[in-house]
Amino acid sequence: MLVSEISLWGAALVACIVLVAMIALAAFDRQMLRRMLVIFGATVAQMAVVVAVVWTVYQTDAWWAYLLWFLLVLVLSICWCLFPLQAMWRKMWRPVSAAMLVGSMVVGGSTMLMLPISVFLSVYSVLMACMTVSLMQTMMNYQRNQQKPEVLREDMFHQVRNMAQPLVMVVPMLYAGMLLGGTPALQGLLVTLLLIAASFVANILAGVIALRMIKKVTQSR
C-alpha cells in the first residue's frame, strides 16, 4: 500500500476524534489524561525501538540477525509471563521458559518454512504476543489457586480450551496487513488460516507443558 493511497480526510478525521477525546478527558479527569499521555509516550518510544531493531535486521539481512530477533522476542515473552509472578519467579521460570521455547519453535519454524523471511519479523512477533497472553492467563490462574491444587487440576482443561481465544482478536490483524500489502484476498485467507492452525497448536502445546510442570511443582510441595 502506497502512502499516497491513504485518505487525508480519513486521517484528519481520526486526528480530530483523538483531539476531542483528549479535550473531553481533560475536562473530566486531568490526572487520567496525564497518565494516558505517559502511556502513549511509552508506546511511541517502544515503537521507535522496534522500528530501529527491525530496520537494522532488514538492512543486515543475515541469519544471525533473524536468530537474534527470535531470541529477543522469546526472552521478552518469558519476562512478560513471569512479571505477574514476581514472588514465585524462581519456581516458575522453568515451566514458563520450557513452554515458551517449545511454542516459539513451533510458531517460528512454521513461519519461516511457510512464509518469506522478509515477513518473519512481524508475523512471528504477533503470534508470540498471542501465545504470551495465553500463557500469562495460565500463570495468573495458577497464582490464584496455588493454595488449592485440586481447583487447579479441575481447571486445567478449561484453561487449555481457552488458550486459542486471543487468536480470534490478534491474528486477523495479520490478514488486514496482507490486504493492505496487496495480497489477494483468498491467498491471504489461506495463509491466515494456516497461521491460526500453527499458533493454535503452539498455544495448546505451551499450555500443556506449563501446566504439567506446574502440577509437578504443586505435588512436590
Side-chain angles (χ1 to χ4, degrees):
M1 179 179 180
L2 300 176
V3 176
S4 58
E5 297 178 1
I6 299 177
S7 172
L8 296 180
W9 289 106
L13 177 61
V14 173
C16 290
I17 292 175
V18 173
L19 181 61
V20 171
M22 292 179 62
I23 294 175
L25 186 58
F28 179 73
D29 191 341
R30 291 188 178 182
Q31 185 176 4
M32 179 62 69
L33 176 61
R34 287 194 293 268
R35 293 179 179 177
M36 294 296 295
L37 291 177
V38 170
I39 295 174
F40 179 76
T43 302
V44 173
Q46 292 177 11
M47 285 300 302
V49 173
V50 170
V51 169
V53 174
V54 172
W55 182 85
T56 302
V57 173
Y58 273 120
Q59 291 297 317
T60 306
D61 195 20
W63 67 268
W64 60 266
Y66 291 99
L67 178 60
L68 181 63
W69 178 262
F70 177 88
L71 296 176
L72 176 62
V73 174
L74 176 60
V75 171
L76 291 177
S77 300
I78 294 174
C79 292
W80 272 113
C81 287
L82 291 176
F83 181 76
L85 306 171
Q86 298 180 25
M88 305 184 299
W89 72 269
R90 292 184 179 180
K91 295 182 180 180
M92 302 306 301
W93 74 269
R94 289 184 179 179
V96 172
S97 299
M100 293 303 297
L101 177 60
V102 174
S104 65
M105 291 176 64
V106 174
V107 169
S110 59
T111 302
M112 288 186 291
L113 291 175
M114 183 171 54
L115 299 176
I117 193 66
S118 58
V119 300
F120 167 73
L121 298 180
S122 58
V123 175
Y124 170 69
S125 301
V126 171
L127 296 182
M128 284 296 291
C130 176
M131 187 166 62
T132 301
V133 173
S134 298
L135 197 58
M136 190 179 297
Q137 292 177 354
T138 303
M139 298 299 101
M140 295 300 295
N141 182 70
Y142 170 77
Q143 187 179 31
R144 288 192 299 267
N145 298 321
Q146 59 177 319
Q147 302 299 332
K148 303 175 182 179
E150 67 283 356
V151 177
L152 178 63
R153 286 193 293 269
E154 293 175 359
D155 196 52
M156 280 185 179
F157 177 76
H158 177 73
Q159 183 64 31
V160 171
R161 185 182 60 185
N162 293 335
M163 286 288 175
Q165 288 184 353
L167 289 171
V168 181
M169 299 177 289
V170 177
V171 176
M173 292 188 296
L174 291 175
Y175 183 60
M178 294 177 190
L179 296 180
L180 293 174
T183 302
L186 292 179
Q187 181 180 352
L189 178 60
L190 176 60
V191 172
T192 303
L193 292 176
L194 292 174
L195 291 175
I196 289 177
S199 184
F200 179 80
V201 173
N203 287 2
I204 297 300
L205 188 60
V208 170
I209 292 175
L211 290 173
R212 284 189 175 275
M213 296 184 70
I214 291 173
K215 185 177 179 180
K216 291 182 179 180
V217 172
T218 304
Q219 291 177 344
S220 62
R221 291 173 55 182

